[in-house]
């Protein structure tokens, strides 16, 4: 058993952390305030090979393992959880193509993402279905030489900037999971209507919108897998992407821990730095313990993916534990900063707002427990 | 065109530096090493020339311990073609380092057209290796350079002087340029660059291989110690008007006898 990351992974992590410190942290507060999409930073991260890590080498990608990908994402989330949501959404949208696409589809859809900077969106959730993703209502009808897509999607990350959508839709809602298909859609197609940008509590620099499809014609060859295989593709995607989402929470927790350590050594109360007070020490010890535990779970969930072992259960441990810990750790960071922590002048309140979303998206903390219970009780 | 870039590996700027147990050097066991930040400007300038001139070859040279080759790997991941490491203790003096750099450049068999270096290393702040190296190589040198233009064999280098003014020098290649912040914006090593760097050649020599011996030492470190902690200042309460004259006399006397500054 080896708990150490490789020297190569260490180098990758250092580059990603340097990028987070130099490019993301200095502007993350302001971009959050303005709700500004991090286009230039996203592009720069793409130029350095820090995004789209799921694209295999044979299609022009970096060919990184899942573990490499979470190490990068953890470091980028250290810089800003909100921006990292936008970056990660690209992988989330490209993964179904990696998992369910034919060689021809991979060449057609993945390779362009390695040649120029492009943005993608994963369109699963609808206004009426979040946790019950299988009950989706968006429909796909056979139009002869093409499919006809109708319906509405909600909370779609990157939707306003996307060059590619992967949409989940059903050929017949009565078939439930068995009718679901995954299909690649060009966002410029006629009949697509974007909703207004959501005004969110956190992750404000990432672009989140509803998307409406009105009789959108989609080429037949854009379907990933066969009719009815969409659900399996979506679930397999989530097994790969949950460690990534966990790593984002982990990166945010790590930042909150680092900030709490340095602030507690500077802030003096009762004649000594507050780090000398046991009340603060216990909070920081708790944070450090949870960061390490979340890291081990997250790395293990990714490592299982790389071993081609089913990781559903551990990925849910990682996602639930890392995001719940992140909420606790960032809340305690605000507590350690006291009144200053509640002010937007200091960086920790943003971390607390950003943490909340990670308990919600890509399977709420409750859904993760449902998955875990189903796995351990079967 | 052969461009050499001299780089040094220094403790990360966030490192808390402490003397080692016997006080002969700093404690290096727990240090995270990085490329000297001024050297990043030197590497970037060499790479900018390489971009404009496909035939240019960029070699990075470092004198120091082998424990970690962070600086050389970073430079190659940024785009340098190859690297030379001269294995030595990290506490060499400037003269020995300059002589080792010259030895390594000569040994490469390539004729140096340009040599870049950072203006100083942020650990010992000696600020003299590039100048000593230039003297040994019999090349002109310009230090603290913030602007660089090359036209054929002529280099126009701008350097900062006191008061924010700029001096402009024109020198012929081959020459040594010691770079300062503001010269350019160093690029990141990209992830594909990091992967490629692993396959790039790294030559390794000993000090003896490049003709440096103990006799070349001009400076010997006699010991490393933390500066003594400052004693707390003295406070005089002069709020009571009746005692002010007495306190002033006391302060003046202490400034004379104890602080000895008047």
């Amino acid at each position: 058993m080896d708990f150490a990351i490789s020297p190569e992974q260490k180098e990758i992590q250092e580059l990603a952390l340097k990028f987070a410190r130099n490019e993301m942290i200095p502007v993350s507060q302001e971009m959050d305030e303005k709700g500004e999409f991090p286009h230039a930073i996203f592009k720069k991260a793409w130029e350095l090979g820090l995004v789209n890590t799921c694209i295999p080498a044979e299609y022009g990608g970096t060919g990184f393992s899942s573990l490499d990908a979470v190490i990068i994402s953890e470091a980028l989330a250290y810089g800003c959880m909100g921006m990292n949501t936008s970056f990660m959404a690209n992988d989330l949208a490209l993964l179904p193509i990696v998992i369910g696409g034919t060689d021809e589809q991979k060449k057609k859809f993945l390779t362009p993402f390695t040649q120029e900077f492009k943005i993608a969106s994963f369109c699963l959730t609808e206004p009426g279905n979040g946790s019950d993703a299988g009950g989706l209502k968006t429909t796909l009808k056979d139009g002869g030489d093409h499919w006809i897509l109708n319906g509405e999607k909600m909370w779609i990350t990157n939707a306003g900037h996307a060059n590619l959508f992967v949409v989940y839709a059903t050929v017949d809602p009565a078939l439930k999971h068995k009718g679901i298909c995954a299909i690649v859609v060009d966002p410029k197609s006629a009949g697509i209507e974007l909703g207004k940008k959501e005004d969110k509590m956190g992750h404000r620099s990432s672009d989140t919108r509803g998307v409406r499809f009105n009789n959108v014609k989609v080429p037949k060859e854009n379907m990933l897998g066969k009719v009815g295989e969409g659900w399996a593709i979506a679930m397999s995607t989530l097994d790969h992407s949950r460690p990534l989402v966990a790593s984002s929470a982990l990166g945010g927790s790590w930042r909150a821990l680092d900030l709490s350590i340095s602030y507690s050594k500077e802030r003096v109360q009762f004649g000594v730095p507050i780090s000398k007070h046991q009340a603060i020490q216990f909070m920081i010890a708790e944070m450090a313990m949870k960061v390490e535990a979340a890291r081990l779970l997250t790395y293990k969930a990714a490592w299982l993916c790389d071993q081609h072992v089913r990781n559903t259960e551990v990925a849910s441990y990682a996602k639930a534990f890392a995001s719940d810990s992140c909420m606790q750790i960032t809340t305690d960071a605000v507590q350690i900063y006291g009144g200053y922590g509640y002010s937007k002048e200091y960086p920790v309140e943003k971390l607390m707002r950003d943490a909340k979303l990670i308990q919600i998206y890509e399977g709420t903390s409750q859904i993760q427990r449902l998955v875990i219970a189903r796995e351990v009780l079967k | 065109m052969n461009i050499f870039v001299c780089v040094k590996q220094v403790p990360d700027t966030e490192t808390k530096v402490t003397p080692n147990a016997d006080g002969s050097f700093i404690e290096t066991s727990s240090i995270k090493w990085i490329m000297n930040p001024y050297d990043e400007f030197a590497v970037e300038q060499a790479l900018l020339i390489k971009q404009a001139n496909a035939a240019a070859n960029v070699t990075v040279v470092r004198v120091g311990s082998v424990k970690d080759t962070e600086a050389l790997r970073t430079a190659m991941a940024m785009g340098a073609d190859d690297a030379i490491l001269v294995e030595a203790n990290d506490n060499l003096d400037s003269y020995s380092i300059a002589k080792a750099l010259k030895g390594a450049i000569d040994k490469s068999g390539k004729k140096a057209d340009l040599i870049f270096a950072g203006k100083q290393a942020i650990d010992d702040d000696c600020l003299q290796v590039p100048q000593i190296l230039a003297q040994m190589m019999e090349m002109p040198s310009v230090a603290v350079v913030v602007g660089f233009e090359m036209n054929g064999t002529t280099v126009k280098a701008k350097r900062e002087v006191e008061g924010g003014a700029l001096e402009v020098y024109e020198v012929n290649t081959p020459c040594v340029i010691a770079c300062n912040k503001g010269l350019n914006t160093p690029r990141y090593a990209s992830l594909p660059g990091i992967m490629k760097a692993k396959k790039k050649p790294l030559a390794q020599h000993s000090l003896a291989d490049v003709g440096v011996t103990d006799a070349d030492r001009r400076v010997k470190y006699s010991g490393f110690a933390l500066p003594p902690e400052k004693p707390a200042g003295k406070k005089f309460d002069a709020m009571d008007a009746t005692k002010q004259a007495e306190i002033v006399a006391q302060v003046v006397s202490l400034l004379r006898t104890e602080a000895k500054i008047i």
Side-chain angles (χ1 to χ4, degrees):
Chain A
M1 193 167 209
D2 187 359
F3 283 101
I5 61 173
S6 71
E8 198 169 274
Q9 285 165 334
K10 187 90 201 135
E11 269 181 76
I12 293 171
Q13 182 183 49
E14 271 165 21
L15 166 65
L17 267 181
K18 188 172 175 186
F19 185 82
R21 290 205 172 98
N22 294 349
E23 309 292 330
M24 297 168 80
I25 290 176
V27 294
S28 73
Q29 207 92 346
E30 190 191 339
M31 294 184 82
D32 172 79
E33 187 91 27
K34 291 185 186 159
E36 193 180 323
F37 189 74
H39 206 278
I41 298 173
F42 201 164
K43 183 158 187 253
K44 204 163 185 183
W46 174 81
E47 283 164 4
L48 294 175
L50 293 169
V51 297
N52 304 342
T53 46
C54 71
I55 302 179
E58 57 263 48
Y59 301 102
T62 38
F64 280 131
S65 68
S66 291
L67 185 54
D68 297 334
V70 301
I71 289 169
I72 293 169
S73 155
E74 173 191 2
L76 296 178
Y78 185 96
C80 178
M81 284 182 265
M83 289 185 209
N84 193 47
T85 285
S86 279
F87 303 168
M88 251 186 340
N90 257 33
D91 271 308
L92 182 60
L94 299 179
L95 271 167
I97 305 172
V98 175
I99 292 165
T102 61
D103 180 56
E104 200 179 322
Q105 286 172 326
K106 288 177 189 176
K107 276 187 196 135
K108 184 174 174 193
F109 299 123
L110 297 178
T111 305
F113 276 74
T114 69
Q115 292 161 339
E116 60 179 306
F117 172 58
K118 285 174 177 289
I119 297 173
S121 294
F122 179 84
C123 310
L124 175 63
T125 302
E126 298 180 356
N129 78 310
S131 291
D132 179 18
L136 55 84
K137 303 276 189 297
T138 299
T139 59
L140 211 50
K141 281 210 172 63
D142 198 335
D145 61 343
H146 58 269
W147 292 102
I148 301 166
L149 183 64
N150 273 293
E152 195 178 352
K153 294 289 174 182
M154 190 72 185
W155 314 121
I156 304 307
T157 305
N158 290 348
H161 301 265
N163 306 97
L164 178 150
F165 287 152
V166 169
V167 181
Y168 292 86
T170 177
V171 285
D172 179 3
L175 288 173
K176 285 279 181 187
H177 301 134
K178 288 175 187 143
I180 295 175
C181 308
I183 193 159
V184 178
V185 178
D186 180 350
K188 288 198 296 288
S189 313
I192 294 180
E193 219 181 292
L194 293 178
K196 72 165 180 55
K197 188 180 168 182
E198 296 293 340
D199 188 7
K200 306 189 297 292
M201 172 182 174
H203 295 239
R204 293 177 52 82
S205 59
S206 100
D207 180 271
T208 315
R209 297 165 195 264
V211 182
R212 191 188 288 272
F213 302 97
N214 308 309
N215 290 317
V216 177
K217 280 189 184 176
V218 186
K220 281 256 156 133
E221 65 268 23
N222 282 18
M223 185 171 292
L224 303 171
K226 297 193 197 72
V227 170
E229 287 181 359
W231 181 252
I233 292 173
M235 291 304 106
S236 176
T237 298
L238 295 178
D239 286 346
H240 282 80
S241 63
R242 275 179 185 150
L244 267 184
V245 179
S247 75
S248 195
L250 170 59
S253 300
W254 183 14
R255 175 101 194 281
L257 170 65
D258 276 1
L259 287 168
S260 299
I261 291 171
S262 52
Y263 184 77
S264 68
K265 286 179 175 171
E266 285 163 15
R267 172 76 172 165
V268 173
Q269 290 291 280
F270 304 105
V272 290
I274 60 171
S275 62
K276 300 276 183 203
H277 298 306
Q278 203 177 48
I280 302 296
Q281 289 175 355
F282 278 18
M283 278 160 106
I284 289 177
E286 194 78 23
M287 289 178 172
M289 189 159 62
K290 284 185 171 148
V291 166
E292 188 62 16
R295 184 171 286 135
L296 291 174
L297 275 175
T298 303
Y299 286 12
K300 184 175 176 189
W303 177 82
L304 284 172
C305 248
D306 292 332
Q307 308 307 309
H308 307 290
V309 176
R310 191 164 170 267
N311 72 340
T312 309
E313 182 183 334
V314 181
S316 285
Y317 291 167
K319 202 276 178 182
F321 187 81
S323 61
D324 291 351
S325 302
C326 186
M327 194 68 244
Q328 182 66 54
I329 289 167
T330 54
T331 305
D332 285 349
V334 172
Q335 193 71 16
I336 288 169
Y337 272 69
Y340 294 104
Y342 202 66
S343 160
K344 282 187 195 284
E345 291 281 307
Y346 286 79
V348 284
E349 64 79 34
K350 173 182 180 293
L351 298 181
M352 186 175 164
R353 285 186 286 110
D354 285 350
K356 190 66 217 171
L357 182 56
I358 310 185
Q359 288 182 302
I360 297 170
Y361 70 19
E362 279 215 47
T364 61
S365 291
Q366 289 66 36
I367 286 291
Q368 304 307 330
R369 283 169 174 79
L370 215 68
V371 172
I372 294 164
R374 194 189 300 144
E375 293 289 323
V376 300
L377 292 170
K378 75 180 173 199
Chain B
M1 181 172 27
N2 295 311
I3 307 171
F4 286 85
V5 186
C6 309
V7 301
K8 187 177 185 185
Q9 201 161 278
V10 296
D12 188 8
T13 46
E14 282 168 34
T15 307
K16 203 175 162 199
V17 176
T18 51
N20 63 6
D22 63 3
S24 62
F25 194 49
I26 56 166
E27 181 53 56
T28 55
S29 61
S30 58
I31 283 178
K32 185 176 167 280
W33 299 97
I34 58 165
M35 189 197 298
N36 176 42
Y38 292 111
D39 299 348
E40 289 190 22
F41 303 112
V43 173
E44 177 64 28
Q45 200 57 42
L47 295 177
L48 287 173
I49 295 170
K50 184 179 157 71
Q51 266 174 359
N53 180 349
N57 184 86
V58 176
T59 304
V60 275
V61 195
R62 176 185 156 237
V63 180
S65 65
V66 281
K67 287 190 297 280
D68 191 342
T69 48
E70 181 68 31
L72 293 179
R73 276 189 286 119
T74 305
M76 287 195 286
M78 286 166 79
D81 297 288
D82 45 45
I84 306 171
L85 172 67
V86 180
E87 194 185 338
N89 282 332
D90 283 314
N91 65 352
L92 278 193
D93 67 334
S94 303
Y95 186 88
S96 308
I97 292 175
K99 192 169 175 194
L101 289 169
K102 178 181 188 307
I105 293 170
D106 290 347
K107 210 176 160 62
S108 74
K110 285 182 257 186
K111 193 193 144 291
D113 295 297
L114 272 169
I115 301 176
F116 288 103
K119 66 160 179 163
Q120 74 192 91
I122 60 160
D123 50 0
D124 57 20
D125 285 325
C126 283
L127 251 140
Q128 50 188 341
V129 170
Q131 293 86 331
I132 300 173
L133 175 64
Q135 181 68 28
M136 289 173 170
M137 303 284 296
E138 296 178 358
M139 290 181 187
S141 78
V142 190
V144 203
V145 169
V146 293
F148 180 93
E149 271 171 54
M150 191 164 74
N151 209 333
T153 56
T154 312
V155 163
K156 198 190 260 185
K158 289 181 188 158
R159 68 185 297 268
E160 268 178 348
V161 288
E162 297 290 318
L166 289 175
E167 284 179 351
V168 183
Y169 285 82
E170 214 172 80
V171 291
N172 287 326
T173 59
C175 60
V176 178
I177 302 292
C179 308
N180 193 18
K181 186 177 180 173
L183 176 62
N184 52 44
T185 308
R187 67 196 67 193
Y188 289 94
S190 70
L191 289 183
I194 290 175
M195 302 302 162
K196 268 187 226 152
K198 290 181 199 311
K199 296 190 192 94
K200 291 182 176 174
L202 194 159
Q204 215 161 310
H205 307 307
S206 67
L207 277 178
D209 290 343
V210 294
V212 177
T213 65
D214 259 356
D216 288 312
R217 245 188 202 282
R218 296 294 187 271
V219 177
K220 283 199 175 74
Y221 296 120
S222 52
F224 283 76
L226 289 175
E229 268 189 50
K230 263 193 182 168
K234 280 200 172 78
K235 268 190 189 166
F236 301 91
D237 186 356
M239 291 307 285
D240 184 346
T242 61
K243 289 189 181 151
Q244 278 171 353
E246 190 190 320
I247 286 169
V248 168
Q250 208 183 337
V251 170
V252 170
S253 138
L254 282 171
L255 285 174
R256 275 212 179 97
T257 59
E258 210 169 88
K260 295 188 176 130
I261 54 168
I262 54 173

